[in-house]
Amino acid sequence: MFAAEAAGLRWLGEAGDGTPVPEVLASDDRVLVLPWLEQGAAGPEAAERFGRELDAMHAASPGAFGAPWDGFIADLPLDNTLDGGDWSAWYAERRLEPFLRRASRSLSRDDVALVERVMGRIGGLAGPAEPSARIHGDLWSGNVLWTDGRAMLIDPAAHGGHRETDLAMLALFGTPMLNRILAAYAGAARERGAPLADGWRERVPLHQLHPLLVHVALFGGSYRSALVEAASAALGAGG
């Protein structure tokens, strides 16, 4: 896990100067050493800066979905097999199906069938095709540290993915100043000629399915209702 986290932080940092990740000072199979980050409160200017920096990180496309190392989310393995094809198929095969199997012991047959319906319709639910983005991959609020006028990202499950995944994860468990972050992100994306695709807000539940499956796999049925709600919303958004 430490090797995957260190690789992910370094890889995200390759997006360029200003990428909101700390430098990896040292790592081995027992420890990961990062600079000390003095934590503060989220503020409007820091939130807007984070939105712009997140867009810039995503814009540094790695050219494929996945990553050239074995991934983890929490202590569960992630299949990062590289794929230069379609994101929706990659997401269904590498993120949804393996974690649906892990989570199935806490789900009913109808719950499993509901997620399988999402997987079966994934091509029509995923929106317009986009190039791979350099994403954090586990961007809930606890992995965003507010420090010295900006946000810094820790504990990544980094890989080439869909930029909407990081945005959906920020919304899943609540992030301070989220509306400011998203507005600044969307503005920066428009300015560089890559606006968020129409319907991205309606696709948030689709992108939340993977982290919710992870939570069911880790913590059991307490996250079942959120998973079922997200799967139903994802199908509803597709018409």
Side-chain angles (χ1 to χ4, degrees), residues 176-219:
M177 300 279 180
L178 180 59
N179 287 338
R180 283 186 178 268
I181 295 168
L182 295 177
Y185 181 100
R190 283 194 303 271
E191 287 175 8
R192 66 179 177 86
L196 287 165
D198 290 346
W200 72 269
R201 291 184 184 276
E202 288 70 33
R203 289 188 293 274
V204 164
L206 175 67
H207 290 268
Q208 291 178 342
L209 279 181
H210 173 240
L212 286 170
L213 284 168
V214 170
H215 277 71
V216 174
L218 287 171
F219 306 115

Side-chain angles (χ1 to χ4, degrees), residues 104 106-113 224:
S104 62
S106 299
L107 301 173
S108 71
R109 290 184 179 180
D110 287 345
D111 298 338
V112 171
R224 174 197 163 272

Side-chain angles (χ1 to χ4, degrees), residues 5-236:
E5 185 174 344
L9 287 170
R10 292 185 175 115
W11 181 78
L12 292 174
E14 292 172 5
D17 294 339
T19 303
V21 295
E23 179 186 3
V24 176
L25 301 179
S27 67
D28 60 22
D29 59 358
R30 295 177 300 165
V31 68
L32 175 66
V33 183
L34 306 176
W36 179 259
L37 300 174
E38 194 69 42
Q39 294 190 56
E45 292 184 2
E48 291 169 3
R49 177 177 178 178
F50 175 39
R52 294 190 296 270
E53 291 180 341
L54 184 62
D55 169 69
M57 186 179 83
H58 287 170
S61 174
F65 300 107
W69 61 84
D70 294 331
F72 283 89
I73 187 163
D75 61 352
L76 299 179
L78 280 174
D79 182 351
N80 277 340
T81 300
L82 287 165
D83 191 330
D86 176 68
W87 172 80
S88 62
W90 184 90
Y91 181 62
E93 182 179 355
R94 308 294 179 187
R95 293 296 181 262
L96 297 184
E97 195 276 334
F99 287 89
L100 180 59
R101 280 190 279 110
R102 286 182 174 273
S104 62
R105 64 183 180 274
S106 299
L107 301 173
S108 71
R109 290 184 179 180
D110 287 345
D111 298 338
V112 171
L114 179 65
V115 178
E116 288 175 339
R117 285 202 295 276
V118 175
M119 293 165 55
R121 293 178 51 192
I122 193 76
L125 300 176
E130 292 203 0
S132 60
R134 195 174 296 247
I135 72 170
H136 178 281
D138 191 15
L139 197 56
W140 73 288
S141 59
N143 287 339
V144 181
L145 297 185
W146 299 95
T147 176
D148 192 25
R150 69 184 305 202
M152 296 293 281
L153 308 183
I154 60 168
D155 294 348
H159 63 279
H162 198 301
R163 58 180 172 169
E164 292 176 11
T165 296
D166 272 353
L167 303 185
M169 193 66 185
L170 284 172
L172 184 56
F173 299 120
T175 297
M177 300 279 180
L178 180 59
N179 287 338
R180 283 186 178 268
I181 295 168
L182 295 177
Y185 181 100
R190 283 194 303 271
E191 287 175 8
R192 66 179 177 86
L196 287 165
D198 290 346
W200 72 269
R201 291 184 184 276
E202 288 70 33
R203 289 188 293 274
V204 164
L206 175 67
H207 290 268
Q208 291 178 342
L209 279 181
H210 173 240
L212 286 170
L213 284 168
V214 170
H215 277 71
V216 174
L218 287 171
F219 306 115
S222 58
Y223 287 92
R224 174 197 163 272
S225 60
L227 172 70
V228 170
E229 183 178 344
S232 297
L235 288 169

